[in-house]
Each structure stands twice: as structure tokens, then as C-alpha cells.
Amino acid sequence: MEKSAFQKARDSYKPVLPKGLRTAVGLKEDETTACIANQDEIKAMFPNTYGMPVVEFVEGEEACYEQMNTGVILSGGQAPGGHNVITGLFDTLKKLNPENRLFGFLLGPGGLVKHKYIEITETFINDFRNTGGFDMVGSGRTKLETVEQFEKGYEILKYLNIRSLVIIGGDDSNTNACVLAEYYKAKNYGIQVIGCPKTIDGDLKCEEIETSFGFDTATKVYSELIGNIERDCNSARKYWHFIKLMGRSASHIALECALQCHPNVCLISEEVKEKDMSLNDIVDYLCKVISYRADRGMNYGVILIPEGLIEFIPAIGRLIDELNDLLAFHGDDYRFMSHGEQREYILNHLSEANKRTFETLPSEVARQLSLDRDPHGNVQVSLIETEKLISKMCAAKLKKWKESGKFKGKFASQHHFFGYEGRCAAPSNYDTNYCYALGASAAHLIANGKTGYMATVRNTTAPKDEWKAGGIPITSLLNMERRNGEMKPVICKALVDLKGRPFKELMMHRDEWSKETAFVYPGPVQYWGPSEVCDRTTITLALERQK
Ligand code: FBP
């Protein structure tokens, strides 16, 4: 693999481990835990892994560790820093016992089931230190949920003498890790399963998990791009830029980018839902902002739209819920129907209220909502061009307003979707260190005999010396939700908290940002230079952790 000058220089960056993980490691156990809701049901479903304590690694006594083999899987969407979780895991396993071996299952959880793997060796791994991407072993979205898959997995784990499996993934993949840990424990197979919190979406977090890795880098990359567009916009002064930002469900990415870049508008899906806004209410609000600025000679601006918006518009959300159930039970013949036939089939089966909503949707959105779900039962919102839909609707409304004399300006638009641009970026210093420490934590959870835990690293807004590593039982994050037409135990997604500091910060400024041109241009992620530039966390994290 030919390396860029940047990568060659970056290879020598040495991530710093939290104090508790540096030399001999001891374990401090906290109180036992309970899950966040549906306790009785979840306790009954996870009798072997429910109620375990939160743990923290502290400086301890030297110990000898038996040789062990470990497997690792990258699961779901790419997020900057995944390779460093594996390097942190690898280096720590080797430190615990140089005979330890690490195997990577290829292209996600499917690799475990299909027995596709490689051994990760020192020479192989060195090419991936501090790099973005998941190409070391690849990723995939196969959902591990059937006993047959668990048993297929066990076959290869037994064959390779693997006693522990690390699953690096988002909420759905860590739910799978939890189910697998319980299954292997109940069967007494002697295989530990550990999760790691990954996703650029930033929606896998709680008191113990301060952020999911990748959110820091991805939002910095998007903010650079948004800042560049803002500057172009403020130079040419002729376009409204509609920018959709990834984040399947929660609006954390859009919110963080807004706090970094001060666009004219940033829609927040969670607020749209709370205020029971319709698509028309949203368009009306945007047109008022566009018209206000036009009256003052500013026929330009920047609007951020979270990818998941469409699902949060209450009427559309209700329609999606019914479609999810409908599509979960449709026969195989549905997949082979033409678009027209699928539309007919849906209209014939929907309740009256949802049928009315479905009929009012622009045809391309209706078609996207009718497509098969991903393996976890989610609508593939990244395929819906909300930015174009909303800008088209704004153009239509402004045209009417112009005819009636209510709008006197000009309206021309440009559309962008930022998602894939940031998911494999070279990890920021924050993600580089955070991920390496997560991998090291996972290794120590294994060495301490834990299963059904997610690796954690906390206190990350403090200097690195004060970061704290440990683990949290995954069962403590579960609740029951409807998926693919059935109630299932799943990790509860952390949506934007409308009472939280990051959203309040947006609320405090958004009126001013919508009227003035208050753009901020954050510039590119910096890897070398002053610490206040290179090591800064996201604004979201800084505000959430403010004492
Ligand atoms: P994860 O939750 O698996 O980390 O994936 C997040 C994400 O990047 C979303 O922001 C986006 O909607 C989705 O993946 C896109 O999926 P795909 O990579 O399959 O196109």
C-alpha cells in the first residue's frame, strides 16, 4: 500500500493511554446495574448477564495472563478511529501475553457466520495505525440474531481456539453483542463477548459512554466543508445552500455542525417531533427566513437538514411505523413487484390516516419509504433526498408568495449531502486516543473474565492523564422496542435532548444567525500544532460535560 506523506508522518503518532491502563491494571467494581426500562422482561431474557456492575480500571498489581486467542469484528457504518480500536486491542493483548493471537472476521458479523477471517499480525497491523476507514478487515450490516448464526459462529471460534470476541459497532451491533454474550454464557461455551461504542451519529451515549467514536472527526470534517460553503455563499451572495447531514436518526451531527459553523438555519428532528410540525410548517418557517433576508438584500444563506428528519415529522413517522410492520410481513413476491404495484399494494393495506399521508408525499419519497428495510428493520434514510425535497417545496411556496407580493427577492438553490465524506477520514487526535484506549479497555475486560460489557473511556474533556477506562454491562442500556413487527430488547438510542445544553446553545443564537450572516469557518481537522486547535473536543461534548 503506497502511503501519502501525511500518512507516513501520522504513522509515528503514539496514542496516550489513560493512567489506569498504562502499567499493571487493577479493577474497581461499582454497584450492580439495572436496565433503563422494562426491567422484569429484560432480566428474564438475560439471566446470565443482567445486573452486573460498572467497572473501572485503576493502577494495580502485576499479574500473569494465560495465552488466549481473540476475534474482532467491525460492524455497521464506517467511523473514523475503528482501526485504532483494533491496534489498541492488539497491542494490549500482546502486552498481556506475547503469545496471544488476534483474528479479524471479514466484512462484518457475516464473516463470523461464513467463517471468513484473517490473522492480524504485527507487520499487517502497522500499516493501519492512526488511519481512517475500516478496510483492515472490512465491515457489514449482517444482523446476528438466530441460534443457527450463533452456532455457526461458535464452530469457527472453537476451531480457532478463540475465547473472546470484540464487536465494534453502533446501538444495533452492541445489542447483538449483548444477545450473543448471553447465549454463549447460557450454553457455557466459555466465549466472552465485548462491545465497543462506534458510530458517527453520536447516538450511542449515556453517563458512562461520553460519546461514540467517530463523531468527533466526522463532525469536524463536515464543519470544514460547511464552513467552505458558507464562505463561498458569502462571496457569491446568490445561492441558498441546502445541506443534508448524515445521522440516521438523531440530529447530533447537524447540531454539532451548527454550533461550529453558525448557519442561518439548522433543523433539529427531535424538535420537529416535539412541536408536532408538518413538512409544510417546516417549509413555511424556512420561507420566512429566506424572505426576511431577501428584504434586506441577502438572497443567500445556508440551511442544515438532519438526515433523519423525515422520520421525525409526526404524520410521516406514524406512516413509517405502519409501513415497517407491513413490510416485515409482506411475502417474497413484494420484492419482485414493479414500483407501481408496490404502491398499489401499500395503499390497499394502510389505515385511512396513513394512506392519506402516503398519498400526499412526493412520489420519490413515497417510493423510498416503500423499499426494503436494512437488516435491523430501519428505513434507509440516507437514500431520501430531503434537501432537494425541501428546497423544491420552498421554491414553490416562494413563487406563490412572489405572485401575491409577499416575497420580493430572488431564490436560487444548491444541494449537498455530507455523510460518506467524513466516515473514513483520518481520525482526529481525540478519536485516535479515544479509540486506542477503547481497544485497550476491551482487552482488559477480556483478561478480567468479563462478558456482555461495552468498553468505556470517560472524563475525556479533561487532560488525557485524567481519562478513565472501564466497562459497562450492555444489559443496562436495554429497553424493549418494536422492530420488524415484534417487540425486541434493544439499546435505547440517545436522541438530542431538547433540555440539554447543546440544543439550548442553538436556541440562544438561532434567531440572530437566521437574520444576520454570522458564519464561522472552522477550517480543516488539525493533527499537529497548538493543543487548543488539535486536541479540542466537539462543542457538544464540552457543553454536555460542563460542570
Ligand atoms: P452506524 O449506525 O452503523 O454507525 O451507521 C451510521 C450511518 O453512517 C448513518 O449515519 C447512515 O444513515 C447510515 O450509516 C448509512 O448506511 P450505509 O453505510 O449502509 O449507506
Side-chain angles (χ1 to χ4, degrees):
M1 176 173 22
E2 196 183 334
K3 289 186 182 176
S4 63
F6 165 81
Q7 197 51 57
K8 281 183 197 153
R10 193 68 181 153
D11 275 356
S12 58
Y13 183 87
K14 293 269 172 282
V16 183
L17 281 176
K19 243 193 206 148
L21 291 180
R22 276 187 212 155
T23 47
V25 174
L27 190 73
K28 200 171 99 189
E29 301 209 337
D30 218 325
E31 305 277 292
T32 54
T33 52
C35 66
I36 54 167
N38 312 100
Q39 274 115 3
D40 293 341
E41 266 166 291
I42 288 170
K43 193 171 176 185
M45 290 168 123
F46 295 87
N48 297 286
T49 50
Y50 187 85
M52 302 181 296
V54 169
V55 298
E56 187 187 325
F57 296 116
V58 288
E59 287 167 83
E61 311 268 294
E62 284 293 345
C64 284
Y65 294 93
E66 267 179 42
Q67 190 279 334
M68 61 181 166
N69 292 348
T70 298
V72 65
I73 297 176
L74 287 166
S75 181
Q78 287 71 256
H83 287 160
N84 266 36
V85 179
I86 303 183
T87 56
L89 175 67
F90 179 88
D91 292 351
T92 311
L93 288 171
K94 291 286 182 193
K95 200 160 98 189
L96 293 172
N97 184 329
E99 301 301 315
N100 284 343
R101 295 168 73 190
L102 180 64
F103 294 88
F105 289 97
L106 302 177
L107 294 173
L112 179 72
V113 180
K114 293 186 190 141
H115 299 183
K116 300 268 188 256
Y117 64 89
I118 50 163
E119 178 161 4
I120 297 175
T121 60
E122 183 81 37
T123 31
F124 174 73
I125 206 170
N126 283 342
D127 271 347
F128 295 95
R129 291 185 185 273
N130 313 320
T131 57
F134 276 9
D135 45 322
M136 186 195 299
V137 287
S139 185
R141 289 196 186 275
T142 302
K143 185 168 170 59
L144 292 178
E145 57 181 347
T146 65
V147 167
E148 200 194 345
Q149 289 173 315
F150 300 166
E151 288 294 332
K152 274 306 244 187
Y154 179 54
E155 250 173 49
I156 189 67
L157 296 172
K158 204 162 64 171
Y159 173 76
L160 295 171
N161 197 21
I162 288 177
R163 303 241 305 278
S164 52
L165 185 63
V166 177
I167 299 183
I168 304 169
D171 52 340
D172 287 329
S173 310
N174 275 288
T175 298
N176 293 169
C178 190
V179 173
L180 197 61
E182 175 65 31
Y183 181 84
Y184 287 161
K185 186 96 189 267
K187 287 278 183 179
N188 225 351
Y189 283 170
I191 295 185
Q192 301 159 244
V193 184
I194 300 296
C196 276
K198 169 235 72 166
T199 177
I200 59 160
D201 293 3
D203 56 6
L204 176 51
K205 63 177 168 184
C206 61
E207 188 49 37
E208 304 295 331
I209 303 166
E210 296 189 346
T211 186
S212 53
F213 78 77
F215 177 71
D216 184 272
T217 313
T219 52
K220 284 174 180 160
V221 172
Y222 304 143
S223 296
E224 181 203 354
L225 298 175
I226 295 164
N228 293 348
I229 285 176
E230 286 179 339
R231 208 149 210 170
D232 192 287
C233 173
N234 200 16
S235 306
R237 304 191 180 186
K238 62 176 178 184
Y239 292 128
W240 275 90
H241 292 265
F242 289 75
I243 306 175
K244 183 174 76 168
L245 289 157
M246 237 183 203
R248 224 204 64 75
S249 195
S251 310
H252 297 294
I253 293 182
L255 176 55
E256 170 63 23
C257 293
L259 297 177
Q260 291 198 35
C261 303
H262 305 185
N264 300 100
V265 179
C266 174
L267 298 173
I268 299 293
S269 309
E270 291 81 348
E271 186 186 20
V272 165
K273 183 168 183 179
E274 168 99 353
K275 292 189 171 161
D276 199 6
M277 288 171 85
S278 66
L279 200 49
N280 197 39
D281 294 335
I282 295 169
V283 170
D284 204 61
Y285 165 64
L286 295 179
C287 287
K288 282 183 184 144
V289 172
I290 294 168
S291 180
Y292 177 94
R293 283 175 62 86
D295 286 348
R296 284 151 189 85
M298 295 179 282
N299 290 300
Y300 61 93
V302 170
I303 295 170
L304 303 187
I305 301 168
E307 177 183 62
L309 179 72
I310 216 88
E311 272 192 286
F312 280 75
I313 297 173
I316 302 182
R318 284 191 292 275
L319 165 68
I320 290 175
D321 285 346
E322 193 178 347
L323 279 174
N324 283 349
D325 285 359
L326 190 62
L327 296 188
F329 298 119
H330 67 61
D332 265 354
D333 45 339
Y334 177 85
R335 203 162 297 131
F336 300 109
M337 288 178 192
S338 67
H339 294 326
E341 287 166 340
Q342 284 183 340
R343 188 179 168 86
E344 252 337 279
Y345 172 87
I346 285 172
L347 285 170
N348 286 336
H349 288 81
L350 282 179
S351 61
E352 264 318 301
N354 287 335
K355 188 173 155 183
R356 275 197 302 279
T357 309
F358 191 77
E359 281 171 329
T360 58
L361 289 177
S363 59
E364 61 271 38
V365 176
R367 196 174 68 74
Q368 291 298 351
L369 297 185
S370 323
L371 294 178
D372 265 341
R373 292 347 191 197
D374 78 2
H376 299 274
N378 302 317
V379 179
Q380 299 186 48
V381 281
S382 62
L383 301 176
I384 302 176
E385 294 183 311
T386 336
E387 69 288 15
K388 291 192 184 154
L389 166 75
I390 291 182
S391 120
K392 246 200 236 170
M393 290 177 76
C394 284
K397 189 172 277 269
L398 290 168
K399 191 165 170 257
K400 275 199 191 143
W401 285 7
K402 196 158 200 161
E403 282 157 12
S404 67
K406 192 171 166 188
F407 176 61
K408 297 179 192 70
K410 289 188 214 133
F411 176 73
S413 57
Q414 294 289 345
H415 310 110
H416 317 264
F417 169 36
F418 297 147
Y420 300 101
E421 292 79 352
R423 297 201 312 181
C424 284
S428 60
N429 286 355
Y430 178 89
D431 273 330
T432 302
N433 288 297
Y434 182 54
C435 290
Y436 191 79
L438 280 174
S441 251
H444 283 288
L445 286 168
I446 295 166
N448 280 279
K450 301 294 176 196
T451 189
Y453 273 76
M454 202 179 321
T456 59
V457 177
R458 294 187 297 121
N459 207 28
T460 61
T461 44
K464 282 191 257 334
D465 252 10
E466 294 165 34
W467 289 19
K468 292 184 171 134
I472 177 174
I474 308 179
T475 49
S476 68
L477 306 171
L478 297 179
N479 71 161
M480 299 296 291
E481 286 177 26
R482 199 169 177 80
R483 293 288 171 94
N484 281 329
E486 271 178 71
M487 291 305 282
K488 295 249 170 86
V490 292
I491 292 177
C492 182
K493 254 189 212 309
L495 299 176
V496 168
D497 177 3
L498 299 181
K499 296 195 182 78
R501 288 204 183 103
F503 180 71
K504 283 190 177 155
E505 183 74 14
L506 175 75
M507 280 216 307
M508 205 149 64
H509 297 286
R510 66 177 167 193
D511 189 48
E512 175 204 331
W513 296 350
S514 71
K515 293 176 176 155
E516 314 292 327
T517 302
F519 300 156
V520 170
Y521 315 120
V525 181
Q526 297 294 318
Y527 300 87
W528 297 276
S531 180
E532 68 273 19
V533 182
C534 301
D535 299 323
R536 70 188 164 89
T537 65
T538 57
I539 298 176
T540 303
L541 184 63
L543 288 170
E544 282 175 348
R545 296 285 137 190
Q546 220 170 55
K547 297 272 178 327

